[in-house]
């Protein structure tokens, strides 16, 4: 297990360099001159542009720019935005908010998705199951921003239970509604995944044997059906953490949250290489670590999977 | 038929005693879209305390459904639609869920069929045994742990205390079955339902486990209800026999009597198809030629097989078609880190197969017999040694030559459910090898498909159907037809009939023998079932731990087995000691 974890962490190094290099290259290749764009219609004195270019290393070839950026990273310098703010500052402000939002969404979809999926799987073909399927289909097919606006209108404006927008501090209490919106699509997938998995396992031979032992229905379901059914769900959750951070862009837009999504979006528009790359690099690391955790959790859930090799 | 049953019991047991289990006119149906499909249609059976009874029948006969109905374990849409199941006078079909839960495990234990799928893979063995003990109120806490160890030791796992923390995948099939028997008997039930408890295991392991189960149930005075498709096994292990066919009991009575003198036509067919019986007859027919002809006057399976065997024996041996010379196969198994362990799957094996004959390779699982088949098919590379096919070194074949070789040597695998693509119609399945080797035009291929279907005795309309609509026997015929599509010289049959019911098995063996004479095929027959070997093989190689320990003609091996291992294998054939009637 230790061997496996170590190997997986070592694997993150090429992933990190590969991802940062690719993204840096893509931002570099974006059409237009970011510095000229900063000044709008009135171009500044020619010397100023050159000076700003040199300040951000934009006058150097691509590969040198990239290496300078990476070199800075190892000294804890993530670069600066074109407005002069250190990127690390921007990250420190945006990441905690999005992480709070994503984990809250992950919590909602996991807890409610598994519960609804379990009940639907146990009552396959009954009314609850049919309604769960219809609702999940709706959630999957309706775009997130529609769900967002509807919930914002109903709970924020009509009922007044929640704030329609989130303050800059973004405490958990204000993030509940956005988290529900963000979680809605994945919740639907988890319901379907859990339902199928539970229904499958109910027919497994070992479940019949467990019943034949004289166990109560409750124990058979909680001990023998549920744990076995969670393996595919956990895989999905791991991959989904990454998707939630990306999907947050839309939700953050609706609720005016100052998180990762909006920041990266603006940075891409401005062509701010260091900002985009730094954010995405962190997201890549979060994604890879989440997947590693999932793989380790796998071994806990299913002892047949051992990573000793 | 119930009368026979009662007469027999009156000899040993006082009939005034209430039976432990009495099933009266039981009917079970499955709800489908086309309405209720009956699976069990009016079954009666009686089992007294301390007795053992076996329900015998082919798959789909309703034997397992009957057993599952007793403790309300019917799958999915199945339900009892009529009759009653009296256990100590209580009708189990009318008990509420809570009370039937108390009956399960505590009064009626259950040992399921497939040890591979009946233990939960995510919980350790100790947990799964203790759970049964706690649920039935036998012991709690630490005591339950001790009791679990005791139960497992009784079931034949002597190192139980060290292995409690291990998971099912760390146990072999035989050991898992012992665990399941331990679980079934953990609450000392009055009745044990054993549903094909050993059909997934090797014969020698099967015998050990059944012997052990017999001892345990005798010691505790537990009644046993066996469910099995194996007539020999049923007769050996149960006093009473019930034969089921299409949801009905067609015959019941004492085991000895039914085997010696089967009344119902279906039972007669079952008895005559039992391979162990037929194999004896080939032997006796050969040794006592004058006295026997009356037996194979008919067009029976055995008669044809005997005739073929005699024909084959007269063929003069020439240079072997396949020659295996001192072949070894070593697998490298990766250990922690960079270390490797070597596993010798096949170790210095040599034998030859003559054209037009059948050579059987026999052994238990793990003996390396399937690896030999893969080496000959060139699905695995040889570590050392040499395999020659028709004078060519097989390992040296590449590109077009290898393709040509594959056309001449075709495999048929064990599982007729797994080896056919469910998305492919039968016609496409059979035509696929032709397509892969670019043989003929579309029209010619269709004609060949029809010809092949005819050869394996399936109607031409079968080509439009899909594997899921066919029975196991039909599927195996299709697998044979596919293998024959390219007109090969050799068929490698890896456990090709092991998954089939006796009657179907007989049909396929007969088909194979016919095809061999018609097309001059050479068979390499991989199996663990010695009874089948007797029917079809000219030569036998017995494998153990990667080596051939005995190789001779079939007659020699069966009449005078030299190695103790071979003798054990022969002795373990269920029902081998019984005199079967006709």
């Amino acid at each position: 297990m230790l061997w496996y974890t170590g190997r997986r962490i070592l694997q993150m190094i090429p992933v990190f360099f590969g991802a940062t290099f690719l993204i840096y290259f893509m931002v570099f290749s974006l059409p237009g001159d970011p510095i000229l764009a900063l000044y709008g219609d009135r171009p500044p004195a020619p010397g100023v542009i050159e000076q700003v270019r040199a300040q951000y290393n934009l006058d150097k070839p691509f590969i040198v720019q990239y290496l300078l950026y990476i070199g800075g990273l190892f000294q804890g310098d993530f670069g600066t935005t074109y407005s002069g703010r250190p990127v690390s500052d921007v990250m420190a402000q945006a990441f905690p908010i999005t992480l709070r939002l994503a984990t809250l969404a992950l919590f909602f979809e996991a807890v409610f998705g598994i519960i609804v999926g379990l009940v639907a799987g146990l009552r396959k073909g009954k009314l609850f199951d049919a309604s769960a399927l219809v609702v999940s289909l709706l959630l999957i097919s309706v775009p997130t921003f529609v769900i967002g606006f509807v919930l914002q209108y109903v709970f924020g404006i009509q009922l007044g239970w929640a704030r329609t927008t989130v303050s800059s501090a973004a405490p958990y209490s204000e993030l509940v509604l956005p988290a529900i919106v963000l979680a809605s699509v994945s919740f639907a997938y988890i319901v379907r995944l859990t339902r199928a998995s539970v229904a499958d396992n109910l027919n497994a031979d070992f479940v019949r044997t467990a019943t034949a032992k004289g166990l109560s229905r409750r124990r058979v379901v909680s001990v023998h059906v549920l744990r076995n059914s969670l393996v595919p769900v956990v895989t999905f959750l791991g991959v989904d953490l990454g998707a939630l951070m990306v999907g947050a862009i839309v939700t953050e837009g609706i609720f005016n949250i100052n998180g990762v999504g909006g920041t990266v979006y603006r940075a891409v528009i401005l062509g701010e290489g260091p900002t985009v790359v730094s954010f995405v690099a962190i997201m890549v690391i979060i994604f890879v670590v989440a997947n590693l955790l999932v793989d380790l959790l796998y071994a806990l859930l299913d002892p047949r999977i051992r990573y000793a090799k | 038929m119930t009368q026979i049953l009662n007469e027999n019991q009156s000899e040993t047991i006082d009939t005034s005693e209430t039976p432990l289990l009495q099933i009266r006119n039981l009917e079970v149906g499955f709800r489908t879209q086309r309405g209720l499909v009956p699976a069990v249609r009016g079954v009666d059976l009686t089992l007294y305390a301390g007795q053992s009874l076996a329900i015998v029948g082919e798959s789909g006969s309703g034997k397992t459904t009957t057993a599952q109905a007793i403790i309300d374990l019917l799958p999915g849409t199945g339900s009892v639609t009529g009759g009653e199941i009296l256990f100590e006078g209580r009708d189990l079909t009318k008990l509420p869920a809570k009370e039937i839960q108390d009956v399960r495990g505590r009064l009626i234990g259950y040992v399921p069929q497939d040890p591979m799928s009946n233990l939960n893979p995510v919980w350790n063995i100790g947990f799964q045994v203790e759970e049964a003990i706690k649920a039935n109120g036998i012991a709690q806490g630490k005591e339950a742990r001790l009791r679990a160890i005791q139960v497992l030791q009784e079931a034949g796992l002597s190192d139980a205390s060290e292995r409690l923390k291990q998971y099912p995948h760390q146990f072999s099939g035989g050991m898992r079955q012992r665990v399941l028997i331990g679980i079934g008997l953990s609450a000392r039930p009055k009745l044990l339902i054993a549903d094909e408890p050993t059909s997934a295991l090797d014969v020698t392991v099967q015998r050990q486990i059944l012997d052990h189960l017999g001892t345990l149930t005798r010691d505790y005075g537990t009644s046993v209800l066996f469910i099995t498709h194996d007539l020999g096994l049923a007769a050996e292990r149960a006093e009473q026999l019930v034969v089921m066919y299409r949801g009905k009991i067609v015959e019941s009575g004492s085991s000895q009597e039914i085997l010696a003198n089967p009344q119902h036509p279906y039972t007669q067919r079952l008895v005559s198809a039992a391979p162990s019986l037929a194999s004896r007859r080939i032997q006796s027919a050969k040794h006592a030629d004058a006295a026997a002809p009356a037996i194979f006057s008919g067009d029976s399976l055995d008669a044809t097989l005997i005739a073929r065997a005699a024909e084959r024996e007269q063929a003069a041996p020439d240079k072997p078609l396949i020659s295996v010379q001192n072949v070894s196969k070593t697998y490298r198994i990766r250990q922690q880190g960079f270390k490797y362990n070597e596993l010798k799957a096949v170790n210095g094996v040599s034998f030859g197969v003559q054209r037009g004959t059948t050579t059987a390779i026999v052994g238990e699982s793990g003996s390396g017999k399937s690896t030999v088949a893969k080496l000959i098919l060139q699905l695995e590379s040889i570590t050392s040694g040499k395999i020659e096919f028709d004078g060519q070194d097989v390992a040296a074949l590449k590109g077009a030559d290898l393709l040509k070789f594959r056309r001449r040597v075709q495999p048929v695998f064990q599982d007729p459910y797994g080896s056919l693509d469910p998305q492919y119609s039968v016609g496409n399945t059979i035509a696929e090898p032709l397509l892969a080797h670019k043989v003929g035009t579309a029209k010619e291929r269709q004609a060949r498909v029809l010809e092949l279907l005819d050869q394996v005795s399936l109607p031409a309309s079968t080509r439009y159907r899909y594997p899921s609509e066919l029975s196991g026997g039909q599927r195996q015929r299709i697998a044979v037809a596919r293998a024959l599509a390219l007109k090969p010289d050799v068929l490698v049959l890896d456990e090709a009939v092991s998954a089939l019911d006796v009657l179907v098995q007989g049909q396929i063996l007969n088909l194979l023998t016919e095809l061999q004479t018609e097309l001059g095929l050479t068979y390499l027959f991989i199996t663990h079932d010695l009874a089948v070997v007797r029917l079809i093989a000219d030569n036998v190689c017995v494998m153990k731990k990667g080596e051939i320990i005995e190789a001779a003609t079939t007659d020699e091996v069966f009449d005078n087995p030299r190695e103790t291992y071979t003798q054990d294998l022969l002795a373990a054939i269920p029902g081998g000691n019984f005199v079967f009637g006709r």
Side-chain angles (χ1 to χ4, degrees):
Chain A
M1 194 71 123
L2 213 65
W3 175 267
Y4 175 80
T5 315
R7 213 178 59 190
R8 283 290 297 269
I9 289 173
L10 285 179
Q11 277 173 2
M12 283 163 66
I13 296 172
V15 171
F16 175 79
F17 282 108
T20 49
F21 182 83
L22 269 180
I23 296 154
Y24 209 99
F25 179 71
M26 285 191 270
V27 177
F28 178 84
S29 326
L30 281 178
D33 184 331
I35 303 301
L36 269 184
L38 277 181
Y39 291 92
D41 288 338
R42 266 184 305 153
V48 175
I49 296 237
E50 255 70 82
Q51 201 202 329
V52 175
R53 283 237 171 89
Q55 187 193 336
Y56 290 104
N57 298 323
L58 291 174
D59 53 345
K60 300 180 179 68
F62 162 69
I63 193 73
V64 178
Q65 286 190 33
Y66 175 69
L67 289 177
L68 280 171
Y69 167 72
I70 292 290
L73 276 192
F74 284 108
Q75 293 158 30
D77 175 16
F78 286 85
T80 43
T81 67
Y82 291 148
S83 57
R85 239 178 119 195
V87 173
S88 48
D89 261 18
V90 183
M91 290 202 296
Q93 190 242 323
F95 262 108
I97 296 177
T98 299
L99 264 182
R100 275 208 293 275
L101 180 63
T103 43
L104 201 58
L106 200 67
F107 172 79
F108 282 145
E109 67 182 52
V111 171
F112 296 111
I114 289 170
I115 291 175
V116 173
L118 175 66
V119 177
L122 291 176
R123 302 189 183 172
K124 203 175 162 191
K126 305 272 170 60
L127 183 66
F128 184 92
D129 178 38
S131 343
L133 282 182
V134 170
V135 169
S136 62
L137 192 63
L138 266 177
L139 288 177
I140 290 168
S141 45
V142 176
T144 311
F145 64 84
V146 176
I147 299 171
F149 285 131
V150 169
L151 292 190
Q152 195 178 33
Y153 179 73
V154 173
F155 291 103
I157 295 170
Q158 292 284 311
L159 297 170
W161 291 356
R163 291 174 54 140
T164 49
T165 55
V166 175
S167 61
S168 58
Y172 275 112
S173 58
E174 289 178 16
L175 287 174
V176 169
L177 191 59
I180 289 174
V181 173
L182 183 57
S184 61
V185 175
S186 303
F187 161 81
Y189 281 117
I190 286 177
V191 167
R192 290 179 160 240
L193 206 58
T194 312
R195 171 189 177 271
S197 192
V198 164
D200 250 15
N201 274 314
L202 270 183
N203 289 326
D205 285 346
F206 58 80
V207 169
R208 190 189 54 206
T209 304
T211 313
K213 281 182 198 171
L215 304 185
S216 65
R217 168 97 176 156
R218 176 188 292 268
R219 188 170 166 93
V220 169
V221 168
S222 61
V223 173
H224 290 281
V225 176
L226 191 57
R227 178 166 168 186
N228 297 60
S229 306
L230 284 183
V231 175
V233 178
V234 165
T235 321
F236 179 84
L237 284 174
V239 180
D240 200 44
L241 182 63
L244 284 178
M245 312 240 347
V246 179
I249 292 181
V250 176
T251 314
E252 284 176 4
I254 299 168
F255 292 95
N256 198 28
I257 300 167
N258 219 350
V260 168
T263 313
V264 173
Y265 178 72
R266 281 190 298 277
V268 171
I269 296 292
L270 289 177
E272 285 181 339
T275 316
V276 179
V277 177
S278 302
F279 270 86
V280 176
I282 299 285
M283 275 156 87
V284 166
I285 290 173
I286 290 175
F287 200 78
V288 174
V289 169
N291 274 298
L292 175 61
L293 286 179
V294 165
D295 285 349
L296 296 180
L297 201 58
Y298 242 46
L300 279 181
L301 281 175
D302 190 341
R304 281 171 300 181
I305 303 167
R306 286 283 179 233
Y307 300 117
K309 286 168 193 171
Chain B
M1 274 160 270
T2 28
Q3 274 125 16
I4 306 174
L5 199 69
N6 288 336
E7 269 170 32
N8 271 306
Q9 278 151 5
S10 60
E11 293 168 12
T12 48
I13 287 157
D14 180 14
T15 32
S16 64
E17 187 192 348
T18 359
L20 181 69
L21 177 75
Q22 191 170 28
I23 298 180
R24 284 197 203 134
N25 202 20
L26 179 72
E27 288 181 24
V28 180
F30 287 88
R31 277 191 316 279
T32 67
Q33 285 172 337
R34 276 173 291 173
L36 195 78
V37 175
V40 175
R41 303 181 294 167
V43 159
D44 294 284
L45 61 85
T46 311
L47 179 62
Y48 287 89
Q51 265 199 331
S52 56
L53 184 148
I55 306 182
V56 187
E58 57 191 13
S59 45
S61 62
K63 56 187 195 302
T64 295
T65 308
T66 306
Q68 289 175 342
I70 297 172
I71 44 175
D72 191 22
L73 281 183
L74 289 170
T77 58
S79 60
V80 175
T81 50
E84 49 189 9
I85 300 169
L86 298 172
F87 184 79
E88 296 183 312
R90 268 201 298 178
D91 187 356
L92 297 183
T93 62
K94 297 199 173 57
L95 284 190
K98 185 84 190 95
E99 282 178 50
I100 191 88
Q101 187 182 307
D102 290 338
V103 173
R104 287 189 203 125
R106 203 164 58 83
L107 297 175
I108 304 180
Y110 179 74
V111 179
Q113 175 169 15
D114 182 1
M116 295 302 163
S117 63
N118 272 291
L119 286 166
N120 191 332
V122 310
W123 295 107
N124 63 48
I125 295 294
F127 176 89
Q128 297 191 52
V129 181
E130 275 174 51
E131 187 182 49
I133 290 165
K134 288 177 191 160
N136 292 304
I138 304 297
Q140 299 299 333
K142 222 179 213 149
E143 235 173 277
R145 158 79 35 103
L146 293 174
R147 175 91 181 130
I149 295 172
Q150 189 197 341
V151 159
L152 287 174
Q153 280 171 347
E154 283 169 0
L157 286 171
S158 45
D159 51 353
S161 47
E162 289 101 69
R163 305 201 62 175
L164 276 188
K165 287 267 178 249
Q166 288 190 325
Y167 290 89
H169 69 276
Q170 292 161 306
F171 283 61
S172 71
M175 291 200 290
R176 290 190 217 186
Q177 196 61 38
R178 288 175 192 275
V179 172
L180 286 164
I181 288 173
I183 289 173
L185 287 171
S186 63
R188 299 269 183 277
K190 292 183 176 166
L191 171 65
L192 186 74
I193 299 174
D195 186 358
E196 303 261 16
T198 54
S199 60
L201 305 174
D202 285 329
V203 263
T204 44
V205 183
Q206 168 176 321
R207 190 171 62 157
Q208 284 169 18
I209 288 192
L210 289 177
D211 283 348
H212 202 85
L213 184 64
T215 318
L216 283 181
T217 48
R218 217 173 305 124
D219 290 353
Y220 305 150
T222 314
S223 304
V224 185
L225 182 64
F226 274 111
I227 315 294
T228 179
H229 67 275
D230 189 332
L231 203 57
L233 185 145
E236 213 166 71
R237 303 292 167 179
E239 299 144 20
Q240 304 287 325
L241 213 62
V242 165
V243 182
M244 278 188 80
Y245 179 62
R246 295 195 176 174
K248 280 188 174 154
I249 290 183
V250 293
E251 190 155 356
S252 65
S254 95
S255 307
Q256 308 262 5
E257 210 165 286
I258 289 189
L259 283 194
N261 191 14
Q263 298 296 317
H264 192 275
Y266 176 72
T267 323
Q268 287 166 356
R269 272 168 64 210
L270 263 190
V271 169
S272 67
S276 46
L277 153 83
S279 54
R280 296 229 159 228
R281 224 175 292 104
I282 290 180
Q283 180 192 339
S284 62
K286 276 189 183 161
H287 289 291
D289 39 344
I295 302 178
F296 46 100
S297 56
D299 191 24
S300 79
L301 161 71
D302 314 317
T304 358
L305 291 169
I306 293 161
R308 302 272 180 265
E311 266 171 45
R312 266 182 267 139
E313 221 156 70
Q314 279 156 16
D318 51 338
K319 204 172 179 300
L321 182 62
I322 303 172
S323 151
V324 177
Q325 295 156 21
N326 200 21
V327 162
S328 298
K329 173 73 188 175
T330 313
Y331 289 103
R332 297 220 299 170
I333 299 177
R334 208 162 150 187
Q335 299 289 300
Q336 192 111 22
F338 293 105
K339 281 174 286 179
Y340 286 91
N341 256 8
E342 294 212 323
L343 176 80
K344 275 205 148 95
V346 174
N347 193 2
V349 161
S350 303
F351 64 93
V353 181
Q354 298 290 339
R355 191 185 291 273
T357 65
T358 303
T359 298
I361 302 181
V362 197
E364 299 187 344
S365 46
S367 61
K369 56 187 194 302
S370 284
T371 311
V372 170
K374 283 183 201 153
L375 292 176
I376 291 176
L377 286 166
Q378 276 299 289
L379 297 174
E380 298 264 4
S381 62
I382 303 165
T383 309
S384 71
K386 194 172 172 190
I387 295 180
E388 279 185 4
F389 174 74
D390 212 359
Q392 283 177 301
D393 184 357
V394 167
L397 294 176
K398 282 202 183 69
D401 285 338
L402 184 62
L403 271 184
K404 211 183 276 170
F405 165 76
R406 292 220 191 285
R407 282 171 67 162
R408 297 182 62 189
V409 182
Q410 285 279 310
V412 177
F413 294 107
Q414 170 170 18
D415 182 4
Y417 294 84
S419 62
L420 298 178
D421 187 334
Q423 308 290 327
Y424 258 48
S425 73
V426 167
N428 285 341
T429 300
I430 297 177
E432 198 186 13
L434 298 170
L435 205 63
H437 288 269
K438 304 194 178 67
V439 179
T441 62
K443 213 170 218 162
E444 283 164 11
R445 285 196 289 267
Q446 273 309 308
R448 178 83 182 124
V449 167
L450 290 180
E451 188 189 350
L452 285 162
L453 282 173
D454 186 52
Q455 274 176 349
V456 297
S457 316
L458 286 173
S461 61
T462 318
R463 68 183 188 279
Y464 302 117
R465 300 175 70 184
Y466 285 85
S468 60
E469 303 163 6
L470 303 170
S471 72
Q474 287 172 319
R475 287 182 222 212
Q476 203 58 308
R477 280 169 196 267
I478 288 158
V480 171
R482 174 174 59 183
L484 290 176
L486 293 162
K487 302 191 177 162
D489 298 322
V490 179
L491 283 193
V492 177
L493 301 138
D494 191 354
E495 300 274 14
V497 295
S498 310
L500 306 172
D501 286 327
V502 251
L503 288 180
V504 184
Q505 194 177 57
Q507 287 165 6
I508 298 283
L509 288 176
N510 210 10
L511 172 74
L512 287 173
T513 321
E514 265 167 36
L515 290 171
Q516 184 164 47
T517 341
E518 251 174 66
L519 309 172
L521 294 168
T522 307
Y523 291 151
L524 188 66
F525 203 91
I526 317 288
T527 183
H528 68 272
D529 191 343
L530 272 168
V532 169
V533 168
R534 188 55 158 145
L535 280 177
I536 193 152
D538 304 297
N539 299 296
V540 183
C541 302
V542 181
M543 281 192 76
K544 185 188 181 186
K545 293 185 179 160
E547 293 176 25
I548 291 184
I549 56 160
E550 185 158 3
T553 66
T554 310
D555 287 341
E556 272 171 37
V557 169
F558 275 74
D559 296 346
N560 304 304
R562 275 174 301 149
E563 300 289 326
T564 26
Y565 180 71
T566 317
Q567 288 160 6
D568 286 348
L569 277 179
L570 285 170
I573 299 176
N577 309 325
F578 273 88
V579 185
F580 288 76
R582 265 249 106 159

